[in-house]
PDB file of all heavy atoms in Angstrom:
ATOM      1  N   LYS T 568      21.271  10.259   1.123  1.00 94.00           N
ATOM      2  CA  LYS T 568      21.540   9.543   2.390  1.00 94.00           C
ATOM      3  C   LYS T 568      21.371  10.364   3.626  1.00 94.00           C
ATOM      4  O   LYS T 568      21.110   9.844   4.729  1.00 94.00           O
ATOM      5  CB  LYS T 568      22.984   8.913   2.371  1.00 94.00           C
ATOM      6  CG  LYS T 568      24.010   9.988   2.452  1.00 94.00           C
ATOM      7  CD  LYS T 568      25.419   9.270   2.496  1.00 94.00           C
ATOM      8  CE  LYS T 568      26.607  10.255   2.359  1.00 94.00           C
ATOM      9  NZ  LYS T 568      26.456  11.551   2.885  1.00 94.00           N
ATOM     10  N   ASP T 569      21.323  11.746   3.458  1.00 95.00           N
ATOM     11  CA  ASP T 569      21.227  12.603   4.677  1.00 95.00           C
ATOM     12  C   ASP T 569      19.751  12.876   5.012  1.00 95.00           C
ATOM     13  O   ASP T 569      19.511  13.630   5.926  1.00 95.00           O
ATOM     14  CB  ASP T 569      21.979  13.859   4.556  1.00 95.00           C
ATOM     15  CG  ASP T 569      23.532  13.507   4.500  1.00 95.00           C
ATOM     16  OD1 ASP T 569      23.870  12.558   5.140  1.00 95.00           O
ATOM     17  OD2 ASP T 569      24.254  14.291   3.850  1.00 95.00           O
ATOM     18  N   ILE T 570      18.772  12.416   4.180  1.00 95.00           N
ATOM     19  CA  ILE T 570      17.413  12.673   4.490  1.00 95.00           C
ATOM     20  C   ILE T 570      16.937  11.840   5.828  1.00 95.00           C
ATOM     21  O   ILE T 570      17.159  10.690   5.858  1.00 95.00           O
ATOM     22  CB  ILE T 570      16.474  12.350   3.306  1.00 95.00           C
ATOM     23  CG1 ILE T 570      16.838  13.256   2.099  1.00 95.00           C
ATOM     24  CG2 ILE T 570      14.974  12.517   3.688  1.00 95.00           C
ATOM     25  CD1 ILE T 570      16.050  12.896   0.862  1.00 95.00           C
ATOM     26  N   ASN T 571      16.307  12.564   6.665  1.00 94.00           N
ATOM     27  CA  ASN T 571      15.861  11.864   7.967  1.00 94.00           C
ATOM     28  C   ASN T 571      14.650  11.044   7.738  1.00 94.00           C
ATOM     29  O   ASN T 571      13.750  11.359   7.058  1.00 94.00           O
ATOM     30  CB  ASN T 571      15.613  12.898   9.008  1.00 94.00           C
ATOM     31  CG  ASN T 571      16.853  13.552   9.581  1.00 94.00           C
ATOM     32  OD1 ASN T 571      17.938  12.987   9.555  1.00 94.00           O
ATOM     33  ND2 ASN T 571      16.729  14.770  10.113  1.00 94.00           N
ATOM     34  N   GLN T 572      14.685   9.889   8.427  1.00 95.00           N
ATOM     35  CA  GLN T 572      13.503   9.038   8.446  1.00 95.00           C
ATOM     36  C   GLN T 572      12.434   9.609   9.316  1.00 95.00           C
ATOM     37  O   GLN T 572      12.632  10.609   9.997  1.00 95.00           O
ATOM     38  CB  GLN T 572      13.963   7.606   8.931  1.00 95.00           C
ATOM     39  CG  GLN T 572      14.818   6.909   8.034  1.00 95.00           C
ATOM     40  CD  GLN T 572      15.059   5.432   8.375  1.00 95.00           C
ATOM     41  OE1 GLN T 572      14.308   4.880   9.147  1.00 95.00           O
ATOM     42  NE2 GLN T 572      16.105   4.839   7.892  1.00 95.00           N
ATOM     43  N   GLY T 573      11.236   8.937   9.302  1.00 96.00           N
ATOM     44  CA  GLY T 573      10.132   9.464  10.102  1.00 96.00           C
ATOM     45  C   GLY T 573       9.008   8.522   9.964  1.00 96.00           C
ATOM     46  O   GLY T 573       9.084   7.388   9.462  1.00 96.00           O
ATOM     47  N   GLY T 574       7.840   8.977  10.428  1.00 97.00           N
ATOM     48  CA  GLY T 574       6.596   8.197  10.406  1.00 97.00           C
ATOM     49  C   GLY T 574       5.484   8.989  10.994  1.00 97.00           C
ATOM     50  O   GLY T 574       5.278   8.941  12.230  1.00 97.00           O
ATOM     51  N   SER T 575       4.747   9.752  10.231  1.00 98.00           N
ATOM     52  CA  SER T 575       3.752  10.525  10.779  1.00 98.00           C
ATOM     53  C   SER T 575       2.583  10.803   9.704  1.00 98.00           C
ATOM     54  O   SER T 575       2.905  10.809   8.520  1.00 98.00           O
ATOM     55  CB  SER T 575       4.182  11.828  11.392  1.00 98.00           C
ATOM     56  OG  SER T 575       4.908  12.572  10.426  1.00 98.00           O
ATOM     57  N   LEU T 576       1.500  11.045  10.211  1.00 98.00           N
ATOM     58  CA  LEU T 576       0.282  11.432   9.366  1.00 98.00           C
ATOM     59  C   LEU T 576      -0.010  12.899   9.647  1.00 98.00           C
ATOM     60  O   LEU T 576      -0.140  13.317  10.813  1.00 98.00           O
ATOM     61  CB  LEU T 576      -0.934  10.562   9.776  1.00 98.00           C
ATOM     62  CG  LEU T 576      -2.313  10.962   9.216  1.00 98.00           C
ATOM     63  CD1 LEU T 576      -2.359  10.823   7.707  1.00 98.00           C
ATOM     64  CD2 LEU T 576      -3.386  10.181   9.860  1.00 98.00           C
ATOM     65  N   TRP T 577       0.027  13.686   8.519  1.00 98.00           N
ATOM     66  CA  TRP T 577      -0.257  15.130   8.628  1.00 98.00           C
ATOM     67  C   TRP T 577      -1.670  15.424   8.044  1.00 98.00           C
ATOM     68  O   TRP T 577      -1.942  14.885   6.982  1.00 98.00           O
ATOM     69  CB  TRP T 577       0.770  15.882   7.800  1.00 98.00           C
ATOM     70  CG  TRP T 577       2.112  16.076   8.509  1.00 98.00           C
ATOM     71  CD1 TRP T 577       3.226  15.312   8.412  1.00 98.00           C
ATOM     72  CD2 TRP T 577       2.442  17.123   9.424  1.00 98.00           C
ATOM     73  NE1 TRP T 577       4.204  15.761   9.160  1.00 98.00           N
ATOM     74  CE2 TRP T 577       3.767  16.926   9.818  1.00 98.00           C
ATOM     75  CE3 TRP T 577       1.768  18.260   9.890  1.00 98.00           C
ATOM     76  CZ2 TRP T 577       4.410  17.796  10.674  1.00 98.00           C
ATOM     77  CZ3 TRP T 577       2.477  19.141  10.705  1.00 98.00           C
ATOM     78  CH2 TRP T 577       3.749  18.912  11.134  1.00 98.00           C
ATOM     79  N   VAL T 578      -2.395  16.242   8.803  1.00 98.00           N
ATOM     80  CA  VAL T 578      -3.718  16.636   8.290  1.00 98.00           C
ATOM     81  C   VAL T 578      -3.785  18.255   8.204  1.00 98.00           C
ATOM     82  O   VAL T 578      -3.375  18.877   9.150  1.00 98.00           O
ATOM     83  CB  VAL T 578      -4.834  16.131   9.177  1.00 98.00           C
ATOM     84  CG1 VAL T 578      -6.168  16.726   8.823  1.00 98.00           C
ATOM     85  CG2 VAL T 578      -4.905  14.571   9.051  1.00 98.00           C
ATOM     86  N   PHE T 579      -4.245  18.680   7.106  1.00 98.00           N
ATOM     87  CA  PHE T 579      -4.400  20.074   6.807  1.00 98.00           C
ATOM     88  C   PHE T 579      -5.875  20.448   6.513  1.00 98.00           C
ATOM     89  O   PHE T 579      -6.649  19.610   6.098  1.00 98.00           O
ATOM     90  CB  PHE T 579      -3.547  20.499   5.590  1.00 98.00           C
ATOM     91  CG  PHE T 579      -2.133  20.061   5.620  1.00 98.00           C
ATOM     92  CD1 PHE T 579      -1.771  18.766   5.249  1.00 98.00           C
ATOM     93  CD2 PHE T 579      -1.111  20.885   6.137  1.00 98.00           C
ATOM     94  CE1 PHE T 579      -0.473  18.399   5.278  1.00 98.00           C
ATOM     95  CE2 PHE T 579       0.159  20.470   6.150  1.00 98.00           C
ATOM     96  CZ  PHE T 579       0.498  19.180   5.819  1.00 98.00           C
TER      97      PHE T 579
END
Side-chain angles (χ1 to χ4, degrees):
K568 69 179 170 33
D569 292 331
I570 297 176
N571 285 336
Q572 293 190 16
S575 56
L576 170 63
W577 280 92
V578 170
F579 307 85

